[in-house]
Amino acid sequence: MILDVLQRIETDTQLPDAADVVIIGGGIAGVTATLFLAEAGLKVVLCEKGVIAGEQSSRNWGWVRQMGRDPVELPLTMGSLDIWRGMDKRFGIDTGFRETGITYVCRTPREVKEFADWADLADRIGMASERLDPAALARKLPAIARDRFKFALHTKDDGRAEPWRAVPQMAMAARRLGATIIENCAVRGVETSAGHLSEVVTEKGTIRTERAILAGGAWSRMFLGNKGVNFPQLKLHGTVARVEIDGDAGDMPVGGGDFAFRKRLDGGYTVARRNWNVAQITPDSFRLLGTYLPTLMSSWREIQVRLNGEFLKEAGMPRKWGHDQQTTFEKIRTLDPQPMEHYNRHALKNLARAFPVFAGARMTHSWAGLIDATPDAIPAIGPVKEIPGLFLSSGYSGHGFGSGPGGGQLVSDLVRGVTPTFDPEPFSLERFKTKGLRPGGAA
Ligand SMILES: Cc1cc2nc3c(=O)[nH]c(=O)nc-3n(C[C@H](O)[C@H](O)[C@H](O)COP(=O)(O)OP(=O)(O)OC[C@H]3O[C@@H](n4cnc5c(N)ncnc54)[C@H](O)[C@@H]3O)c2cc1C
């Protein structure tokens, strides 16, 4: 469904022989890096195996939030929000960004504690997050069921944007600044010469370059694995729907313990069952069990572990290949998993209790996406030490739509060798090599 509504843009067909930087992957991480590098005057080529934003970057809920994020990545997340705010004017595009605020509503003591603790953190760092009692909540969200929620946390400068068009619009702006963007162009791997990256090999030919950024979303682990680099990344399946209602539930994205919704600019609402993502058991689940165990123990309520056809499908994918062979990247142009419809039905049932205006909602579309996650739910942004010249920007763990522009800024700073806008240390890949990694929540 997503691919039918995704905005398509004009792209290039001629693969250049050489570039200052090659970007692998046309989601928000790769496209924003391309945009900022092109703006800085570099010759940039982006290769996307399918279509721009065909995977996670068009399938997400469209929330752009800092509230609830891990404190170590807050500077990046807050900086990212600043970029979102100025993006449309700066590049002459329309991403659909609106600074509507976001509200989390809490019913159970556990939910209240989680967000009350976060409100304390917001106070300490000076973020404008506001605690709401039931009366204040009813004023903020008139469509909410009275007295159903005990507490809410509202952050007025969080916002939302339109995933079906935001990243294509950014890619359009990058092209206007001189970037080359090639779709249906899988990158098979990178070559080195004298211990440094020297070429990017694609299905359409080779590009000479000394710098490349891997922004391959859920594919980054497989790509690096072929070069003997272990990036501990797993995938979570998330189901989403678009609905229409008679009435108005307000402009602001709202999350409860068992539902989430966001108003869309096309008149509908994007809804999902919050805190229900599925970890499909694959061979990587066993390879990475030790690394992920602390995360699974701390987030077991939010992650449902399932054994299904994915195990055999992934077991059949080669983990090593040569650059003269057709790769899995060419065989699977776009990850387009089936939605789990009963998750959407659950979301709508819970939502109708919390916001009665959703009773009788008509579901017009449903879809799913595979969220790429790291063990501490923090992205990996920085150099891949084993392959000098290669940088990674991946593992956004369910919040890369919001923080992607900040990640694009950081990785482009690192590639250019200028003082980084954000401290890169929390995002280093090296952290995965040390024991005692902090567990993180997923999505
Ligand atoms: C259901 C769902 C809900 C979400 N909700 C939110 C939300 O509300 N807010 C939020 O901030 N985040 C949300 N996210 C997460 C967010 O969408 C992601 O973190 C973000 O889009 C990741 O961007 P990316 O560029 O890293 O990856 P992607 O968007 O997945 O892009 C990676 C691209 O790389 C390409 N690629 C991979 N390998 C190769 C190769 N070898 N050669 C060429 N191309 C290659 C792929 O085809 C793909 O297009 C959600 C995600 C999902 C699935």
Side-chain angles (χ1 to χ4, degrees):
M1 167 269 156
I2 280 293
L3 297 175
D4 300 338
V5 298
L6 176 63
Q7 183 181 351
R8 299 298 310 281
I9 58 160
E10 200 180 328
T11 52
D12 301 280
T13 48
Q14 195 67 36
L15 195 75
D17 296 334
D20 293 329
V21 189
V22 175
I23 319 289
I24 305 161
I28 195 160
V31 169
T32 52
T34 305
L35 183 57
F36 300 137
L37 288 168
E39 193 185 33
L42 275 77
K43 184 176 175 198
V44 199
V45 180
L46 183 152
C47 300
E48 162 55 52
K49 67 178 170 58
V51 296
I52 292 296
E55 296 193 346
Q56 295 174 84
S57 294
S58 58
R59 291 161 193 267
N60 62 71
W61 299 354
W63 292 33
V64 178
R65 74 175 160 98
Q66 49 197 328
M67 179 169 44
R69 292 308 326 149
D70 191 311
V72 302
E73 65 171 332
L74 268 176
L76 179 101
T77 313
M78 293 163 85
S80 197
L81 193 60
D82 271 343
I83 299 173
W84 270 108
R85 276 190 203 107
M87 178 88 84
D88 286 5
K89 202 160 169 217
R90 176 169 162 197
F91 296 108
I93 54 178
D94 182 4
T95 58
F97 178 75
R98 302 282 186 276
E99 200 169 327
T100 51
I102 290 183
T103 299
Y104 280 108
V105 295
C106 308
R107 248 166 81 78
T108 66
R110 199 175 65 83
E111 289 163 13
V112 171
K113 181 171 178 350
E114 182 190 344
F115 283 99
D117 286 351
W118 212 88
D120 293 343
L121 170 76
D123 289 345
R124 287 199 297 279
I125 59 174
M127 188 185 289
S129 286
E130 193 186 343
R131 298 166 182 81
L132 304 177
D133 63 17
L137 179 59
R139 284 194 296 276
K140 190 81 74 192
L141 292 168
I144 202 163
R146 293 290 146 129
D147 296 324
R148 186 168 172 80
F149 297 95
K150 298 184 174 71
F151 175 77
L153 190 63
H154 168 74
T155 302
K156 71 171 174 22
D157 45 8
D158 280 347
R160 56 170 226 231
E162 297 298 322
W164 57 273
R165 75 166 188 228
V167 175
Q169 291 268 323
M170 294 173 197
M172 250 165 47
R175 274 190 91 231
R176 282 202 293 263
L177 290 167
T180 302
I181 296 188
I182 312 211
E183 292 185 323
N184 288 310
C185 181
V187 174
R188 291 177 172 172
V190 294
E191 293 287 357
T192 54
S193 166
H196 196 279
L197 189 132
S198 56
E199 284 178 347
V200 169
V201 185
T202 82
E203 63 178 308
K204 293 183 196 277
T206 294
I207 310 171
R208 274 182 289 110
T209 186
E210 290 185 357
R211 289 169 289 181
I213 299 171
L214 174 60
W219 298 91
S220 294
R221 173 174 169 75
M222 178 186 271
F223 190 97
L224 288 173
N226 190 39
K227 288 281 168 199
V229 178
N230 177 27
F231 174 39
Q233 178 192 42
L234 284 181
K235 300 189 267 291
L236 293 171
H237 182 289
T239 290
V240 195
R242 176 190 182 277
V243 301
E244 290 176 354
I245 57 175
D246 299 321
D248 188 7
D251 275 347
M252 191 182 339
V254 179
D258 54 13
F259 67 85
F261 73 87
R262 168 185 71 87
K263 192 175 202 166
R264 304 164 56 103
L265 288 182
D266 64 10
Y269 288 81
T270 293
V271 303
R273 172 61 167 87
R274 188 165 162 260
N275 290 328
W276 262 18
N277 289 313
V278 173
Q280 302 174 114
I281 298 179
T282 63
D284 273 345
S285 316
F286 295 100
R287 291 182 196 114
L288 296 174
L289 187 62
T291 317
Y292 274 85
L293 208 54
T295 306
L296 282 173
M297 304 290 278
S298 67
S299 328
W300 59 270
R301 283 187 192 85
E302 292 108 59
I303 300 175
Q304 325 228 327
V305 179
R306 294 277 157 80
L307 178 63
N308 56 22
E310 273 315 296
F311 187 94
L312 288 179
K313 208 160 107 196
E314 289 208 5
M317 293 177 185
R319 295 172 68 206
K320 293 279 174 191
W321 60 87
H323 294 164
D324 54 348
Q325 294 167 340
Q326 196 194 38
T327 61
T328 308
F329 307 122
E330 288 138 89
K331 291 184 189 143
I332 306 180
R333 293 274 170 205
T334 303
L335 280 172
D336 191 16
Q338 282 300 306
M340 298 192 183
E341 296 299 353
H342 60 289
Y343 279 37
N344 284 332
R345 284 194 294 275
H346 259 280
L348 274 175
K349 202 170 82 188
N350 300 336
L351 191 48
R353 279 198 217 111
F355 286 79
V357 68
F358 280 95
R362 298 170 298 281
M363 196 189 299
T364 61
H365 303 81
S366 64
W367 65 92
L370 291 182
I371 300 167
D372 70 316
T374 63
D376 55 5
I378 292 175
I381 307 168
V384 179
K385 291 258 159 58
E386 294 84 345
I387 309 171
L390 181 64
F391 294 75
L392 180 65
S393 178
S394 214
Y396 281 84
S397 304
H399 48 280
F401 189 63
S403 55
Q409 180 66 59
L410 176 57
V411 78
S412 63
D413 292 341
L414 296 172
V415 164
R416 288 170 61 213
V418 300
T419 307
T421 310
F422 311 105
D423 177 10
E425 202 276 330
F427 308 106
S428 160
L429 267 95
E430 298 303 298
R431 74 186 192 272
F432 300 123
K433 295 176 186 160
T434 56
K435 288 204 162 61
L437 196 65
R438 287 173 319 111

